[in-house]
Amino acid sequence: MVLDSFDTSTLVAAEALGRLTGEIRAAGLTLEESADFVAFEQAAEASEDRYLMEDFSSRFFDLHASNAFWIGVRDGDGKIASLQAAKVEDLRDRPLAAFWQQQQRRIFADPADGTARLGSAHAADAFELRGRIVYHGNLWLRRDLRGRGLAEKLTQTGFLVALLKWRPDWLYGLMAETNALKGFGLRVGYRRFAPRGTHWILPPAHIRPDDWLVWSSRADLVTLARAISARSTE
C-alpha cells in the first residue's frame, strides 16, 4: 500500500481545528465543549439575546454525547461570549424533508395552542439528502465581538468538531436570506445553497419564513479543512 492511498482527512481536520482554536484563543477567548444541554440552556438563558432554538432544547429532544454537542466561548472575565450547537441524525431510511415533516410539525404545528402551519414545498434538495446528517445551529456571538471575523472562525470550529466526531455525509443549517446573500454562508464553509429551506404556510412567530437551506458534503468539509490548514499565518 502506498502512502497516497491512506485517508488523511482526520489529520487534516485536526490540524485545521488546532489552527482555528489557536486563533480564537489569541483573541483572548477560551473554548469549552459539552454535551450537557441543561447547561447549554442555562448559558443561552444568561446570554444577552436569550437565544435558544427548539432544536437544542431538552423539552423536545433527548440530547447526549452520542448525538449532540455544544461549544461555548468565554471572554477574559469568564463571561459567555458565544454559543453554538450541533446534532446528528441517521436518515438513511428517509430524506431530510421527511424528517422535517415529522420534527417541525411535532414542535410547532401539532400542539393544541399552536397557530403555525407547516407546508410541504421544502427546498427540493432536502428531498434528496440522506445518510448521517448534522444540523448546525443556535450560533450566537456577543455584539461587541462581531465584525472581527470571529463568527466565521467559530462556525468553522463547530463544523470541524462535527466532522471529527461523526464523519457525516452532510452538514446543514438554515440561514436568513440576508446573511446568505451577503456571502456569510460561503465564508464559513457552506458550499451548497437553496433559497428556501423549510416551507411554512404560516410560520411560528419567531421563525423566519425566508431562511435558506445551506449545506456541505463531507468532502466539502475536508476541502475546507485543507484550505484552513494551508492558510497563510501573515
Side-chain angles (χ1 to χ4, degrees), residues 24 31 37 40 56 69-73 82-86 136-140 151 153-159:
I24 293 166
L31 298 101
F37 276 84
F40 179 71
F56 299 106
F69 70 86
W70 64 274
I71 294 174
V73 175
S82 176
L83 294 170
Q84 62 180 295
H136 178 273
N138 217 118
L139 178 66
W140 168 78
K153 292 176 182 179
L154 290 166
T155 305
Q156 291 168 351
T157 296
F159 286 7

Side-chain angles (χ1 to χ4, degrees), residues 144-220:
D144 61 300
L145 297 174
R146 297 173 189 174
R148 296 164 48 181
L150 285 169
E152 289 86 346
K153 292 176 182 179
L154 290 166
T155 305
Q156 291 168 351
T157 296
F159 286 7
L160 295 183
V161 171
L163 175 62
L164 288 165
K165 277 183 176 292
W166 297 315
R167 292 184 60 83
D169 298 297
W170 306 98
L171 180 147
Y172 81 97
L174 293 166
M175 181 174 294
E177 183 178 62
T178 52
N179 289 335
L181 292 175
K182 288 178 181 177
F184 181 73
L186 277 172
R187 294 199 302 274
V188 300
Y190 286 116
R191 294 296 176 259
R192 301 148 199 261
F193 304 84
R196 171 186 280 170
T198 308
H199 173 218
W200 291 102
I201 298 171
L202 182 62
H206 63 295
I207 300 293
R208 299 178 62 98
D210 66 346
D211 281 351
W212 285 31
L213 171 63
V214 291
W215 74 105
S216 289
S217 67
R218 181 166 65 230
D220 293 331

Side-chain angles (χ1 to χ4, degrees), residues 51-118:
Y51 178 48
L52 175 66
M53 299 179 67
E54 285 83 359
D55 304 79
F56 299 106
S57 170
S58 59
R59 176 184 174 191
F60 299 104
F61 297 101
D62 294 324
L63 301 167
H64 41 78
S66 65
N67 70 355
F69 70 86
W70 64 274
I71 294 174
V73 175
R74 295 184 183 274
D75 63 16
D77 296 324
K79 297 179 180 178
I80 285 289
S82 176
L83 294 170
Q84 62 180 295
K87 62 180 181 178
V88 65
E89 302 286 350
D90 187 345
L91 300 180
R92 285 174 291 187
D93 62 336
R94 53 189 161 148
L96 178 60
F99 176 70
W100 283 348
Q101 285 297 109
Q102 179 188 50
Q103 173 183 266
Q104 303 294 77
R105 188 180 302 280
R106 182 175 67 242
I107 296 173
F108 299 112
D110 286 347
D113 60 348
T115 57
R117 293 178 58 199
L118 182 67

